[in-house]
Amino acid sequence: MFSFNGPTVTEIAPDVYRIGVYAPASELQFNFFLVRDDQPLLFTTGFRATFPVLREAVARVIDPSRIRWVGFSHFESDECGALNLWLEAAPHAEPVCSFVGAAVNVNDFASRPPKAMADGEVLATGRYRFRFCSTAQIPHGWDAGLLFEETQKTLLCSDLFHQTGDVEPLTESGLSDRVRAALSRMQGGPLANYIPYNARTEVILERLAALKPKTLAIMHGSSFTGDGERALRDLAVVMRETLGIGPQSESKNNR
Ligand SMILES: [Fe+2]
Ligand SMILES: [Fe+2]
């Protein structure tokens, strides 16, 4: 398993805590988000290997056994590898995922049944309301979905806006250039085609932009505060230009 530095804990919006670790070997941050509320929600579980340090980091904010909801976007180790460890640590916790995620993976994988969310369905945790957005294949995976907290307008972005390096917890600028650099670099290596680009890509990103998020809670890299609508439209351009099928990417990626 990789080695990592951290964790760091940063409140990036009221009651939204970014818990971050950095893996120097891959020059990549992994960030997980805890929302403090009557029914606390953890969005993305981290790996089994990061569970002990993440639990310690959560304990700086709340008693980890109080976690009520454990959400994630899609079935991958950084998103939900430690799901069953969290369910063991928090006896009242339930997984939260898409309908497809539940049907295809989580009903079988998880030690307790998940809450399977339909597109547009809302999960109320007390003061906060999380609207589930089905985003199949964005960032990747048939089961992909995102949560949007409506009262503070925080979008839990998963892998969207992927950046590399040990960057600051929260930024107000420069996001687009960093994402372009990271995606371009990945396209030239063994991790190419990280995010599929298809006919629905821009439709989904436009739908997310219309939510007008004020905070983008990003798994890999800095979170963002500011005009989230514009950031998502800029992301659509960056993805089209770095991941879209064109003469350049065709020849480069199908070698
Ligand atoms: Fe992913
Ligand atoms: Fe990820």
Side-chain angles (χ1 to χ4, degrees):
M1 186 57 199
F2 64 85
S3 66
F4 51 85
N5 303 331
T8 59
V9 179
T10 310
E11 190 172 11
I12 58 163
D15 295 317
V16 180
Y17 293 84
R18 173 190 187 268
I19 300 172
V21 299
Y22 178 63
S26 50
E27 297 176 54
L28 194 57
Q29 288 180 339
F30 294 87
N31 302 300
F32 315 98
F33 296 91
L34 173 70
V35 181
R36 182 170 58 181
D37 203 354
D38 299 340
Q39 299 181 15
L41 178 141
L42 180 70
F43 189 76
T44 68
T45 74
F47 304 91
R48 288 186 300 157
T50 51
F51 174 74
V53 297
L54 294 192
R55 183 175 55 179
E56 180 272 321
V58 166
R60 297 184 208 170
V61 182
I62 62 163
D63 175 353
S65 71
R66 285 190 54 232
I67 290 174
R68 179 66 179 82
W69 303 104
V70 183
F72 53 92
S73 167
H74 50 276
F75 197 80
E76 263 180 350
S77 292
D78 57 351
E79 295 270 344
C80 64
L83 175 61
N84 287 330
L85 296 172
W86 286 107
L87 295 181
E88 205 177 308
H92 302 293
E94 289 176 57
V96 184
C97 62
S98 68
F99 172 83
V100 172
V104 173
N105 286 313
V106 185
N107 282 337
D108 181 65
F109 175 79
S111 53
R112 283 202 289 281
K115 180 173 177 57
M117 302 285 280
D119 186 43
E121 191 176 344
V122 170
L123 173 69
T125 58
R127 291 188 295 285
Y128 303 124
R129 293 167 47 84
F130 295 85
R131 186 168 297 275
F132 180 76
C133 308
S134 174
T135 60
Q137 313 298 356
I138 299 291
H140 37 229
W142 179 26
D143 54 332
L146 302 176
L147 288 175
F148 177 62
E149 201 291 299
E150 294 186 322
T151 68
Q152 297 187 89
K153 300 195 173 297
T154 300
L155 181 64
L156 296 162
C157 292
S158 175
D159 297 325
L160 292 180
F161 298 100
H162 179 110
Q163 309 143 60
T164 51
D166 199 10
V167 288
E168 70 273 42
L170 189 62
T171 187
E172 295 178 12
S173 62
L175 194 57
S176 207
D177 289 344
R178 290 186 196 178
V179 176
R180 181 185 294 277
L183 292 180
S184 299
R185 188 171 150 196
M186 285 172 81
Q187 281 302 85
L191 297 176
N193 302 316
Y194 175 43
I195 300 176
Y197 189 90
N198 63 40
R200 297 179 60 250
T201 305
E202 294 205 21
V203 174
I204 290 173
L205 292 175
E206 182 54 37
R207 210 179 136 215
L208 296 173
L211 298 171
K212 302 183 189 300
K214 290 181 179 168
T215 305
L216 302 170
I218 295 168
M219 180 183 240
H220 307 290
S222 298
S223 289
F224 173 81
T225 180
D227 185 345
E229 179 181 12
R230 180 168 174 191
L232 280 151
R233 294 212 170 106
D234 289 348
L235 178 66
V237 173
V238 168
M239 284 174 53
R240 187 195 315 140
E241 292 178 356
T242 56
L243 305 170
I245 300 297
Q248 254 191 339
S249 50
E250 275 282 18
S251 58
K252 190 165 51 183
N253 299 327
N254 292 336
R255 276 198 296 240

